[in-house]
Amino acid sequence: MPPTTPSKADDGIERTKQSLAARWNLHFPVRDTNWSPSKKDPTSLAEKVHGLIQYLYFRKEPSLGALDYSIRQFEAQAPLILSQWQFKPHADLGVIPTRREPSELSRDFLHRRHRLSDVALEQLMQCLHHHLSLVADRVKRGEDYIAPAAALSSIENVGLGHNDTGFGRTRKGRAPVGEVKYRQSTLSQTFRSKSDPTIQHASSDDFMDDDISEVLQDVCMPDAGPLAPVVVGIPSKKSSGHTSPVEEMFETPPTTPPHKKLPYTDRQEDRVDSHIDDTKADVFRKPVSTNSRSASFDQKSEDIDSTIRTSLVRTRLQSPERRGHGQMAGRADSERQPDQGKSIVDSHESEGRRVKESILKRLASYPPFATISDAAIVPFRQVYEVSRIATFLKLPLINFQFYLTKPFDNYNELWLGLGHITRNLGLVMPERSSLIAWEKAASTFEGVSLTGKLRFLDTKEGPLLDLLLHPMRMEASYRLARKYGSDRFCVLGLPGLGAGDLPSYLKNHDEVARDAIICWLVDTEHVFLTRQWRAFYTKPDSKKTEGGVRNSLTDSRYRVYFFAEDGLGFRQGPRKGEVDPRLPDRPRQTVKQLLEWFMPSQNNLDQPCLKFFARLALGLSSTTPTIVFRPQELIRSDDARSEDPGERRLDVRRSEEKKTQRNGSASKAPVMNDGCARISRPAALAVANMLGMDEPPSIFQGRIAGAKGVWMVDCLDEMPTHLAHPQSRGFWIEITDAQLKFNSPGVDALAPDPARMTFEVNNYSTKLTPSFLNFQLMPILLDRGVPKEVFERLLQEDLTAKVADMEMAMENGLALRKWNQQNNSVAHERAEYGGIELQGGMPVSRAEKINWFVEHGFEPKQCFYLKEQLYKAIHGYCLRLENRMNIGLGRSTNAFMIADPLGVLEPGEIHLGFSNSFRDPKSEFNETMLHNLDVLVARLPAHLPSDIQKVRAVFKLELRIYRDVVVFSSKGQMPLASKLSGGDYDGDKAWICWDPCIVEPFKNAEVPPHPSFEYYGIEKDETRVSDLLPHDDYTDRFLRHAFDFNLRTNLLGTCTIYHEAFCYAKNAIDSPQAIEIAVLLGLLVDSAKGGFHFDDAKWTAFLKKLKLPKKMPPPAYKPKSKTKLTQHLIDTLVFNVAKGARQKALGHFAKHFADVPRWDNDLVRIRNEEVEESKGNHALAQVLRNLYVGLGKIHGFWQQHARREEEDDDWRPPTDKKSDSLSFKALIEQCRADFLALSPIGDTETTHDSTIRQWQKDHRRGKSGYWDLVKASVAFSLYFKTNFVWYIAGVELGEIKATAKGRGSYRAVVNNVFESFKVDGKLVDGVRRREMEGELRVSGGVLDDDAGDEFGEWDWWDEV
C-alpha cells in the first residue's frame, strides 16, 4: 500500500520530537510557521532523525507501529549509553569512562540525564538515528520491522562487554522482546501489580537485573482510545503466627522491601542535583552526603544500590494507589536528637515505639496519595482532574489511562469522556472544577487553587488516611505562588490529632500517633500528581463561610501546605532546547531553597523559631501585587516612642545605619505607632491606579519584603534629597522596626528580586458605613452603665425597619434586587471565584440565585422556585440576627486605626473624617467629620471591661488628608490601640460609636494588670534559629519543631467559650475570675507567634486554682442549649424581641406568597410550538419521543439519589452504598452533564430534515443552540413541580424567560462587564415611589424624559 500524504495539520511528528526532547534532553531544530525546506541542513543529524520520524510516522499496515517500535528500541539502549559516562560535575569532559555493573544503571538513569555532556548527547542522537534507520530500511524492503530475538539481544548488549547480564536477556518463561509486537508500557505495568496475589511475598532478591531494567523501560503507546475499565482491588492479608497486642491493632502491610533507614545527617536538604525521573516509575531518591556534594558520582555503594533495587521492585509489586514513595530518614524516636523535644517516656515506652513504627509502616505501605507513572505526559491541569475523580470514586488510575496520555483542551470533552467511564462502572462523577480556573490553568495558573483534605479511616487494616481532592477554584494569589507558580502549591485539610479526633483504636495512643503523623508529613517526600511534594507550613483552619460561599475545608482542623520540589518536566538550571508545551516550565527547587529565598535563616539568627515559622504566613496570605520599589526607595525608621512625641520626619542617614544594622534603638519605652508608617503620594497614586481606583485611599494594608502593616499617605509630602532629582519617580516607602518581621536577603540591596520588592496590598480604606452592636460589646456596655432598656429599644427599632424593607422587596423584582444587594452581597464571591460560579444550571450561592431570577424577568409572586429561595434567604437572615445579635446602629462605624504622624492629638483624643457625608436617616445625622463630641472606641474580640474606651473626637485640620480612617494619638504612656484588647496599628479596625444614648452613660474602666506567664502555667518556647542552624539538617529540624507545636490543640476556643458561659452564669464580666480568664484569652491569641505552651492539663490546673468547675453549661441563647432562660440581657433580646420579629417577618411572607404558581406559560412556549409542528412531521415527533425517554432516565436517576434535606449540604464521606457516596453537588453536575449530552436522535428520516440536521450539527460542535432550549422547555413541561428542572436546565430556562417578549425587551451583556455592576438604590426607590403614587407617565409606549428609563438605560447601574 503506498504511503499516505503528510498533512501540515497533523502535529504528531512534533509531539514525538517534543516527547523525546523532554525525556532525553535531545535538541531538535524548531519547525514553526517560518520554517521552509530551504532552511534545512542536510548534514545535521537531528534533521536526518526528523526525516526518519516523518517517514515512519505515516506508515500504514503492515508497517503501522514501526515508529513506536524503533523508539522503544532506542529507549531500551539509552540507559546503557548513560551508564558508560561518569557524571563528574567538576571533571573535564571527554574523560574515558570506566565500566560499571548493570545494577548501577538506575542511578545514572534517574539522576544524571539532564547533566550529560555534549558528547553523550551526540551518542544518544546517533543511537536514535541508528534504530530509526534499521527499521526504516526494513520497511522500505517490505520486511517485518521486528528484529529477531537474537539480533535484538546483541544490539541491546552493546557497551556491556558481556552477554550474561543486560537488557537483552530474558528470564525463563518470558517471551523474548522480538516475539511481542506491542509490549505494555511502564504505565500499565505499574498499575497492575497489586491485583496479582502471587507476588505478594516476593523480595528484591527474586528479581534479576533484567527485571529492574524492564521497569526502567518506558514504551510510547500509540493513541488507541479509551481503555476498558479495570477495577484493581487490594488483596487481603492473612496473618499467621504470634503477634503482640500492638501489632494486632494494625494490618501487617504486604511484605515488601522496607524503607532503608537513613540518619538525619544523610538527608540532603537542598538536593540541587537530585530529582525524580521524568520518564520512569517513581522511585526513592538517592541520599547524598552533604560533605561529598562536589565529589564524582563514580563511587560504588552497595547500600545505595540496594535501595534503588528495592524501590524498583516495589514499583512492580505494589499498585500505584498504595505504593510508598516517601524517603523517611530517621523517623523513630530513638533516632531523634535530644533538642527535638523529649521522647515519650513512661511505663509504656516500648509499646508506644511499636505503635509509632506501625503507623509509619502503614502510611508508607498505604499512602493516601495516588501516584501516576511519568509516562503521563499531559497538561498538569488534566492530571489533576483525572486524579481528583479517581480519588473521589476510589478507583485505580488504570481506569483512566487513556486520559493520562492524550491531552484535552476542552474541559467539557474531558468531562464527558471521564463520565462515560464512570457510568459504565455504575458510579457518578463528583463536582466539576471551575471553568475559569481550567482556562487559567492552561497558561500561568495564577490564582488557581489546588486544595483537598485528608481524613482518617476508622479501620485497623489498609490505609490510615484517605484523600479527597477538591475542584480547582480561583482565589487571590500570594507572594510565594507568584514567585514559583500556583501549581506548585497544594493545600490539604488535616483532621485534628487529639484523642477525640483520631480513630477509635488510636485514642489511647494519641501522643504517639500525633508524633508519627507529623514525622510522616514533614519527613516524607510525597509523590502524587506526577510531582514530588513536601509539607512546609501549617496553620489552624479557621476560615468561616462568608456570603453563602462554602469553605472547601470545613471538616478539617488544620491546613497543611505542600510544595512541589520536583516533577515531570521540571528542569535543572537554565532552559535548554525545546520546551514540551504539555509540561510545566518549572525549575527544580527544594523547600529549603524556598524558605531561604523568602526569609534567609542566616540573616535572622536571633528570631525565635516558632515566630520565624509564623512569618511564613506573609508569603501565603492573599494579596494584590502593585508597584515594585527600588532599594534606595525603602526608608528605614525607628519606631515612635512615648518618650519622644512629635512630628515624624524621614531621616535618610539613620535609614542607612539601620540597613547596615548599626546603632540599633536601645529605647525600652512603649511603641506608639506599632505597625503603621508612611508612603509617598506619587507611590500611593501609582498603587491606586494599579488597583483600578481614581484616587488613592488614606491607607493601604500590605506587605513588602519582610515587612507588614499599614502605610498611610504622607501628609507632609516629603521628598528625601537623594530622590529629589528630575529622573526620580518620587516613590518612597517608610519601614519601621515594628513593621519589619524578618530581615530579607542582603542581595536585594544590589540586585533586588522584584517578587520581594513588590508592594502587595491585601486591603485599603474605603467609604465608611453604619455598623452594629453585637454579643461581645453589649455585656461590656451594660457593665459600664448603659441601661438594659436602651438595647431592647434599639433592637426593636432595627428589626421593625428590616421587616418593612423585606415586605417592600416582595412587591416586584427591582425592589427585591435592591434588597438582596444590600443584605446578601455577592462581591466577595465574585472576587474570589473570578465571576459568577455556576453549579449545574444555576448559580451556587443563594444570593446569586435570587439575582439571577430577577435579572431574567421572573417576578417574586409568579415563580415558585424564586419564592422558595427568597423564603430561605429571609429565614436565614432572621436566624443570623438571633445568633449574632447584630443590632444596626446608625451612628457607629468600623475604621482602620492609625497613629498620629504629626503629634497634634493629645492623649484621649481621636480624629475621624469621612470622604462622603455620613448619613443616618433615623437620627438625621449628616456630617463629614466628628468634632468636639465624646465617642466610644473598641476592638473585637472584646472581653475585658476596659476593652471599650470613651475618648474625645476632635477634627484637626493638619490631619484632613486622612479620611475614612480613625487617627489615634501618639502621645501618652500607653497607645490607645493597646488598651483595646491588645490591638496595634498593622491593620486592626476600631468600632466607633457616637450615639448619645450609649456614649453618655458609659464610664471607662482601667486596664487591669497582666499576671506573669508562670501564674497561668504557660511555658514559652525559647528555641531560636541560631540554636538549630548549625545542624546539617536544619530545615528538617526547623519544620519538625514548628509542626510539632502548631499541630497541637489551641485552647483559645475552649477558653473563650468557657469565659462566655461563666460571665453568663454570673451575669457579670467584672469578677476577678472573669478578668483573669479574659487576660488569658489575650495571651492565647498570640500563642502561635509567641510559642506559648498551654494544654488541657494546664487549663484544668488553672481552673482549679480559681476554684472553678471544669465545665460550664452553655447559655440559653446558644443553639441546642438546654439551659433555662435567665434575666441576662442577651436572653431577653433573643427570646423576647428577635424571635418575635422573625415570626412576624415569616408571617408576612406567608401572607404575601400564599398562592404562587409553579407553571409558567413563557417557559413551555417553545415546547408547545415544537409539539404542534411535530403533528405533521414524523421525524420531529420521533426526536421528541426520544427526548421524553432521555429526560425520564435522568429524572429517575435524580429520584434515586436526591434527598431534599441535602440540598444545602456539603460533601459527605462516602459509604459502602453507592447511593450514599454521592453528594448533592455531584448529583447536580451529573444530571446537568447528562442533560447537555441529550442529542436530537430519531430514525433514518431525521437525516432528511434540515432543522434536525442543524440541531445535530450544533450539538456535535458543543454549540449552545435552539435544541438546548427545546430540551429545557420540554423538561419544564414534564417536571415543573420539582426543583430538579432548575438544576439541570436553569441556564436555558432563564434565556427562554428573558427573551419571551421578543427583541427589544432585553439586553445581552457579557459576563465580565455585567459582574462589575450593581443596582442604583436611589433610582429603584424613585421608581417604586412613582409607582405607588401613580405618577409614572407613559407617552406612546416610551417613558417621559423626567421619569427615567428603569429598564433600558445603563443609568440604573453603578460600577462597583
Side-chain angles (χ1 to χ4, degrees):
M1 180 178 295
T4 59
T5 303
S7 170
K8 291 184 178 180
D10 196 334
D11 60 350
I13 297 173
E14 291 302 314
R15 287 202 305 270
T16 302
K17 291 165 53 183
Q18 289 168 355
S19 177
L20 289 168
R23 293 148 68 90
W24 299 100
N25 210 25
L26 298 176
H27 300 173
F28 293 95
V30 178
R31 290 199 174 191
D32 52 20
T33 55
N34 298 323
W35 184 87
S36 64
S38 61
K39 298 181 180 181
K40 180 178 179 181
D41 181 6
T43 63
S44 170
L45 184 61
E47 290 285 3
K48 295 178 181 178
V49 169
H50 172 88
L52 291 169
I53 292 175
Q54 184 179 39
Y55 172 78
L56 295 176
Y57 181 82
F58 291 105
R59 297 305 93 194
K60 288 190 175 182
E61 292 291 354
S63 299
L64 181 64
L67 177 60
D68 296 317
Y69 174 79
S70 57
I71 292 178
R72 288 201 302 274
Q73 302 311 304
F74 159 72
E75 293 192 337
Q77 188 175 355
L80 304 178
I81 294 178
L82 299 186
S83 70
Q84 300 177 44
W85 288 93
Q86 298 302 306
F87 297 92
K88 302 182 179 181
H90 304 286
D92 295 331
L93 297 178
V95 177
I96 298 177
T98 60
R99 194 178 66 195
R100 291 176 294 168
E101 298 301 322
S103 59
E104 294 181 301
L105 297 181
S106 54
R107 214 180 318 167
D108 293 335
F109 181 79
L110 295 176
H111 301 297
R112 312 296 167 227
R113 186 186 58 218
H114 288 279
R115 298 195 293 114
L116 290 173
S117 66
D118 292 339
V119 177
L121 292 174
E122 180 71 14
Q123 287 196 8
L124 280 177
M125 188 69 80
Q126 290 175 355
C127 176
L128 176 61
H129 180 264
H130 169 74
H131 287 289
L132 290 170
S133 299
L134 287 179
V135 174
D137 290 343
R138 295 192 190 102
V139 170
K140 290 177 182 178
R141 295 193 298 267
E143 300 175 359
D144 186 0
Y145 61 83
I146 302 295
L152 182 63
S153 177
S154 62
I155 292 173
E156 290 180 334
N157 283 294
V158 172
L160 287 179
H162 49 78
N163 293 330
D164 55 340
T165 59
F167 287 91
R169 194 183 65 177
T170 61
R171 286 182 60 190
K172 183 178 180 179
R174 178 183 301 163
V177 177
E179 297 177 11
V180 183
K181 186 171 183 179
Y182 285 98
R183 182 177 164 192
Q184 283 187 311
S185 69
T186 304
L187 182 65
S188 60
Q189 294 172 358
T190 304
F191 284 146
R192 76 185 178 199
S193 59
K194 213 164 191 178
S195 61
D196 187 357
T198 62
I199 62 173
Q200 289 180 7
H201 301 282
S203 67
S204 58
D205 296 333
D206 297 327
F207 292 84
M208 303 295 291
D209 284 341
D210 56 343
D211 298 307
I212 299 176
S213 70
E214 186 173 271
V215 177
L216 288 174
Q217 296 182 27
D218 193 359
V219 182
C220 297
M221 294 184 66
D223 293 340
L227 299 177
V230 178
V231 179
V232 180
I234 300 176
S236 61
K237 290 288 300 176
K238 295 183 179 180
S239 59
S240 60
H242 176 71
T243 58
S244 68
V246 174
E247 293 170 337
E248 290 176 353
M249 290 169 39
F250 305 96
E251 176 195 16
T252 303
T255 305
T256 54
H259 292 281
K260 190 167 187 63
K261 298 279 186 176
L262 300 172
Y264 284 132
T265 54
D266 283 349
R267 182 179 181 85
Q268 187 54 42
E269 266 305 312
D270 49 6
R271 291 184 303 276
V272 175
D273 299 324
S274 128
H275 59 277
I276 60 174
D277 178 60
D278 292 342
T279 58
K280 307 305 170 190
D282 301 311
V283 297
F284 295 122
R285 289 182 180 273
K286 168 188 173 182
V288 182
S289 173
T290 56
N291 298 323
S292 59
R293 175 176 300 279
S294 61
S296 302
F297 289 91
D298 55 352
Q299 301 174 0
K300 294 184 179 182
S301 171
E302 294 302 324
D303 290 340
I304 302 301
D305 182 65
S306 174
T307 301
I308 294 177
R309 291 171 58 89
T310 294
S311 63
L312 291 171
V313 173
R314 181 184 296 273
T315 301
R316 294 175 55 91
L317 294 181
Q318 293 183 304
S319 71
E321 284 70 40
R322 303 302 174 199
R323 288 211 312 267
H325 295 279
Q327 173 179 300
M328 309 179 79
R331 311 306 184 232
D333 283 344
S334 59
E335 296 174 291
R336 300 182 65 173
Q337 302 296 330
D339 58 353
Q340 295 302 306
K342 62 180 181 179
S343 302
I344 302 175
V345 182
D346 54 26
S347 59
H348 303 288
E349 179 180 1
S350 60
E351 180 183 3
R353 186 161 49 249
R354 288 196 300 270
V355 172
K356 180 177 178 179
E357 292 174 354
S358 298
I359 293 174
L360 289 173
K361 188 175 183 181
R362 187 173 172 187
L363 287 170
S365 300
Y366 302 102
F369 307 115
T371 58
I372 304 174
S373 169
D374 289 345
I377 306 182
V378 295
F380 180 71
R381 60 175 180 171
Q382 186 172 328
V383 171
Y384 183 87
E385 279 297 281
V386 174
S387 300
R388 180 175 72 87
I389 292 168
T391 57
F392 177 86
L393 300 174
K394 307 296 180 254
L395 289 176
L397 284 162
I398 184 63
N399 292 279
F400 307 98
Q401 182 176 350
F402 173 73
Y403 296 95
L404 293 172
T405 56
K406 179 180 178 181
F408 282 80
D409 291 329
N410 187 291
Y411 185 68
N412 290 329
E413 291 181 4
L414 173 65
W415 192 261
L416 289 174
L418 294 171
H420 176 74
I421 294 177
T422 58
R423 280 193 296 273
N424 288 342
L425 296 174
L427 301 173
V428 181
M429 295 282 281
E431 179 186 355
R432 288 164 62 102
S433 286
S434 164
L435 186 58
I436 300 173
W438 172 265
E439 296 296 337
K440 195 73 173 180
S443 53
T444 62
F445 238 100
E446 182 177 354
V448 179
S449 66
L450 307 179
T451 61
K453 61 178 166 183
L454 295 164
R455 65 188 183 97
F456 287 115
L457 298 178
D458 200 4
T459 58
K460 295 183 180 181
E461 299 179 351
L464 176 64
L465 288 168
D466 186 36
L467 172 68
L468 176 75
L469 291 174
H470 293 141
M472 289 187 291
R473 291 282 184 267
M474 294 299 299
E475 292 182 357
S477 62
Y478 44 89
R479 186 188 303 182
L480 290 177
R482 291 189 290 269
K483 169 66 177 178
Y484 294 100
S486 296
D487 58 307
R488 295 188 76 159
F489 295 87
C490 185
V491 185
L492 299 182
L494 182 71
L497 301 181
D501 304 305
L502 293 169
S504 57
Y505 55 89
L506 290 176
K507 291 186 181 297
N508 294 330
H509 303 277
D510 54 309
E511 282 295 323
V512 177
R514 181 181 156 281
D515 189 42
I517 291 171
I518 290 174
C519 285
W520 172 76
L521 274 175
V522 177
D523 297 335
T524 304
E525 294 168 338
H526 308 277
V527 179
F528 62 104
L529 300 174
T530 70
R531 297 183 177 184
Q532 186 170 347
W533 307 76
R534 190 177 177 199
F536 71 98
Y537 182 70
T538 183
K539 68 175 183 178
D541 181 19
S542 57
K543 185 177 180 180
K544 298 180 180 179
T545 301
E546 299 182 28
V549 181
R550 290 194 177 277
N551 174 20
S552 60
L553 300 177
T554 50
D555 294 332
S556 303
R557 188 69 63 87
Y558 307 100
R559 292 185 178 190
V560 180
Y561 289 72
F562 293 81
F563 176 69
E565 294 184 318
D566 203 347
L568 178 62
F570 281 38
R571 54 181 167 81
Q572 177 69 41
R575 189 180 298 106
K576 295 181 180 179
E578 297 184 35
V579 177
D580 191 330
R582 297 165 297 179
L583 300 177
D585 185 20
R586 304 286 191 216
R588 297 185 178 95
Q589 294 281 334
T590 65
V591 162
K592 179 178 181 179
Q593 291 172 311
L594 177 145
L595 296 178
E596 292 297 320
W597 176 88
F598 183 69
M599 47 184 201
S601 53
Q602 194 65 45
N603 295 1
N604 297 274
L605 295 177
D606 291 336
Q607 287 264 15
C609 278
L610 296 179
K611 179 177 287 189
F612 196 46
F613 178 81
R615 298 309 183 192
L616 268 173
L618 301 185
L620 297 169
S621 57
S622 299
T623 55
T624 302
T626 59
I627 62 176
V628 179
F629 282 94
R630 299 164 184 166
Q632 63 270 24
E633 296 170 344
L634 271 60
I635 311 297
R636 291 286 308 278
S637 296
D638 291 318
D639 293 320
R641 301 280 179 170
S642 59
E643 61 189 11
D644 185 25
E647 184 178 274
R648 299 278 296 173
R649 288 282 187 174
L650 297 178
D651 187 340
V652 177
R653 180 178 179 181
R654 178 61 178 152
S655 174
E656 293 304 315
E657 291 178 352
K658 297 185 75 63
K659 287 182 179 180
T660 56
Q661 298 183 353
R662 290 181 289 114
N663 300 327
S665 176
S667 175
K668 301 299 182 182
V671 175
M672 305 302 290
N673 66 338
D674 187 357
C676 68
R678 295 170 294 161
I679 185 173
S680 68
R681 293 189 183 185
L685 180 60
V687 172
N689 289 337
M690 295 193 70
L691 295 175
M693 295 183 286
D694 295 330
E695 59 182 22
S698 296
I699 65 98
F700 298 99
Q701 183 186 20
R703 292 98 169 80
I704 182 171
K708 71 177 282 280
V710 162
W711 279 268
M712 48 187 163
V713 178
D714 180 33
C715 60
L716 298 176
D717 202 15
E718 285 190 88
M719 186 57 61
T721 54
H722 73 289
L723 298 177
H725 54 82
Q727 291 75 32
S728 172
R729 303 183 296 175
F731 290 6
W732 58 262
I733 185 170
E734 180 186 29
I735 298 177
T736 64
D737 293 341
Q739 287 182 315
L740 192 65
K741 305 306 178 182
F742 58 85
N743 293 316
S744 296
V747 70
D748 282 343
L750 302 174
D753 190 321
R756 283 192 294 261
M757 302 296 285
T758 297
F759 185 61
E760 304 162 336
V761 177
N762 66 334
N763 210 340
Y764 49 84
S765 58
T766 57
K767 177 183 176 181
L768 298 182
T769 57
S771 184
F772 306 90
L773 278 174
N774 66 10
F775 275 141
Q776 290 189 11
L777 296 177
M778 283 186 280
I780 300 177
L781 293 171
L782 184 67
D783 177 79
R784 296 289 86 211
V786 181
K788 180 178 181 181
E789 295 75 22
V790 171
F791 303 104
E792 295 180 15
R793 177 176 56 81
L794 290 173
L795 179 58
Q796 187 66 57
E797 292 173 353
D798 184 50
L799 292 178
T800 300
K802 286 181 169 62
V803 170
D805 289 342
M806 286 189 289
E807 290 180 358
M808 184 175 294
M810 298 174 193
E811 297 300 324
N812 62 61
L814 198 56
L816 175 59
R817 182 66 176 81
K818 176 197 170 187
W819 178 86
N820 195 47
Q821 176 177 282
Q822 293 174 339
N823 295 279
N824 299 288
S825 175
V826 297
H828 173 82
E829 178 184 0
R830 292 183 180 182
E832 181 173 0
Y833 293 111
I836 301 175
E837 188 183 22
L838 294 178
Q839 187 174 76
M842 295 294 293
V844 173
S845 73
R846 181 167 295 117
E848 286 284 22
K849 286 178 182 177
I850 294 174
N851 291 343
W852 184 90
F853 274 97
V854 172
E855 290 157 0
H856 283 84
F858 294 95
E859 290 292 331
K861 294 184 179 181
Q862 299 298 322
C863 178
F864 186 85
Y865 186 75
L866 175 56
K867 170 211 165 182
E868 282 193 334
Q869 295 301 310
L870 186 56
Y871 175 84
K872 292 176 182 178
I874 294 175
H875 186 266
Y877 177 76
C878 293
L879 288 179
R880 287 196 302 272
L881 282 178
E882 296 175 20
N883 295 333
R884 300 177 185 175
M885 196 46 62
N886 289 335
I887 303 176
L889 200 59
R891 282 174 284 184
S892 70
T893 192
N894 293 291
F896 283 106
M897 302 183 296
I898 59 173
D900 177 12
L902 302 180
V904 297
L905 291 173
E906 296 300 323
E909 291 183 344
I910 70 164
H911 167 96
L912 180 59
F914 306 108
S915 57
N916 297 94
S917 181
F918 193 99
R919 180 173 177 268
D920 174 30
K922 177 185 170 185
S923 64
E924 298 183 354
F925 177 87
N926 192 358
E927 299 290 344
T928 59
M929 68 182 77
L930 298 183
H931 185 55
N932 283 337
L933 73 160
D934 291 336
V935 301
L936 299 183
V937 291
R939 171 185 169 271
L940 297 178
H943 303 293
L944 290 167
S946 60
D947 284 344
I948 302 179
Q949 292 286 313
K950 181 189 287 189
V951 293
R952 189 73 174 173
V954 294
F955 187 84
K956 296 292 185 179
L957 192 62
E958 301 93 323
L959 301 173
R960 65 187 180 278
I961 189 176
Y962 300 121
R963 299 167 297 176
D964 300 325
V965 296
V966 58
V967 186
F968 286 0
S969 173
S970 56
K971 297 180 179 180
Q973 295 304 310
M974 183 178 186
L976 178 57
S978 182
K979 294 182 179 180
L980 308 180
S981 60
D984 53 33
Y985 302 106
D986 68 351
D988 292 353
K989 283 189 174 184
W991 174 78
I992 308 107
C993 172
W994 58 97
D995 193 317
C997 68
I998 295 178
V999 177
E1000 290 179 0
F1002 184 91
K1003 297 179 182 179
N1004 277 340
E1006 293 295 327
V1007 178
H1010 286 200
S1012 64
F1013 290 153
E1014 291 76 12
Y1015 177 78
Y1016 293 103
I1018 295 176
E1019 298 178 3
K1020 191 177 188 307
D1021 189 289
E1022 301 289 352
T1023 307
R1024 296 187 177 274
V1025 173
S1026 57
D1027 298 330
L1028 300 183
L1029 192 59
H1031 297 277
D1032 293 336
D1033 59 340
Y1034 157 74
T1035 304
D1036 282 334
R1037 292 172 179 260
F1038 173 70
L1039 291 178
R1040 279 195 299 271
H1041 185 66
F1043 270 67
D1044 178 71
F1045 177 84
N1046 286 275
L1047 290 180
R1048 292 185 181 274
T1049 302
N1050 190 327
L1051 294 184
L1052 177 61
T1054 301
C1055 299
T1056 302
I1057 293 173
Y1058 188 97
H1059 177 265
E1060 181 182 4
F1062 176 78
C1063 294
Y1064 172 85
K1066 300 298 181 181
N1067 201 13
I1069 65 168
D1070 60 348
S1071 68
Q1073 297 98 327
I1075 290 177
E1076 291 191 8
I1077 297 175
V1079 172
L1080 173 63
L1081 297 179
L1083 295 175
L1084 295 181
V1085 167
D1086 293 325
S1087 61
K1089 291 184 293 185
F1092 302 151
H1093 289 274
F1094 189 77
D1095 56 20
D1096 192 68
K1098 293 181 173 61
W1099 169 240
T1100 301
F1102 177 66
L1103 291 177
K1104 186 176 181 180
K1105 178 188 292 188
L1106 297 181
K1107 298 180 180 180
L1108 295 177
K1110 174 68 174 177
K1111 293 184 178 181
M1112 295 289 296
Y1117 55 80
K1118 288 294 184 180
K1120 299 181 180 180
S1121 174
K1122 298 181 180 180
T1123 306
K1124 293 182 180 181
L1125 296 182
T1126 68
Q1127 296 301 314
H1128 194 276
L1129 171 63
I1130 307 300
D1131 280 353
T1132 302
L1133 297 179
V1134 170
F1135 295 102
N1136 295 347
V1137 183
K1139 287 189 180 296
R1142 171 162 62 101
Q1143 294 170 359
K1144 180 181 178 181
L1146 296 178
H1148 280 283
F1149 182 89
K1151 179 180 177 181
H1152 280 75
F1153 291 89
D1155 223 358
V1156 177
R1158 293 178 180 269
W1159 184 261
D1160 191 322
N1161 288 324
D1162 291 338
L1163 299 183
V1164 296
R1165 173 180 53 84
I1166 294 178
R1167 176 262 182 194
N1168 294 340
E1169 292 173 355
E1170 296 304 321
V1171 168
E1172 187 65 27
E1173 178 70 20
S1174 68
K1175 293 179 180 178
N1177 186 330
H1178 174 75
L1180 178 58
Q1182 184 62 37
V1183 168
L1184 292 178
R1185 282 193 293 270
N1186 291 336
L1187 175 59
Y1188 276 71
V1189 174
L1191 289 172
K1193 292 180 180 179
I1194 299 174
H1195 184 250
F1197 182 82
W1198 175 277
Q1199 288 181 312
Q1200 178 185 356
H1201 292 276
R1203 296 182 179 90
R1204 181 176 179 83
E1205 64 272 14
E1206 288 182 335
E1207 184 168 335
D1208 298 311
D1209 284 353
D1210 201 350
W1211 176 83
R1212 295 177 299 111
T1215 64
D1216 293 337
K1217 297 180 180 180
K1218 292 181 180 179
S1219 60
D1220 290 336
S1221 66
L1222 182 63
S1223 71
F1224 191 73
K1225 291 180 179 180
L1227 175 62
I1228 292 173
E1229 295 292 355
Q1230 183 66 55
C1231 292
R1232 171 68 176 171
D1234 292 343
F1235 172 79
L1236 294 176
L1238 289 175
S1239 59
I1241 301 174
D1243 50 26
T1244 55
E1245 294 184 20
T1246 59
T1247 57
H1248 304 293
D1249 189 288
S1250 59
T1251 300
I1252 298 177
R1253 286 204 307 272
Q1254 185 61 45
W1255 291 354
Q1256 293 172 337
K1257 184 178 180 181
D1258 291 342
H1259 184 75
R1260 285 194 300 269
R1261 294 179 176 178
K1263 179 180 177 182
S1264 178
Y1266 194 74
W1267 168 244
D1268 291 327
L1269 302 183
V1270 173
K1271 291 189 293 185
S1273 186
V1274 171
F1276 183 83
S1277 69
L1278 294 173
Y1279 308 111
F1280 66 92
K1281 293 184 179 181
T1282 71
N1283 295 338
F1284 157 76
V1285 69
W1286 297 103
Y1287 285 113
I1288 68 163
V1291 173
E1292 292 75 19
L1293 293 175
E1295 182 177 345
I1296 295 173
K1297 184 67 175 180
T1299 60
K1301 296 180 180 179
R1303 292 181 179 175
S1305 63
Y1306 64 92
R1307 179 170 292 170
V1309 185
V1310 294
N1311 284 336
N1312 60 344
V1313 175
F1314 172 78
E1315 290 158 4
S1316 64
F1317 295 152
K1318 68 177 182 179
V1319 174
D1320 186 339
K1322 295 180 180 179
L1323 191 145
V1324 176
D1325 292 341
V1327 171
R1328 176 62 181 156
R1329 186 168 54 252
R1330 289 192 296 272
E1331 288 178 344
M1332 295 177 64
E1333 297 174 356
E1335 296 179 356
L1336 188 61
R1337 300 179 298 277
V1338 180
S1339 176
V1342 179
L1343 291 171
D1344 291 343
D1345 292 342
D1346 60 348
D1349 184 355
E1350 69 271 31
F1351 296 106
E1353 296 292 337
W1354 291 109
D1355 296 352
W1356 71 288
W1357 298 94
D1358 285 337
E1359 291 191 9
V1360 175

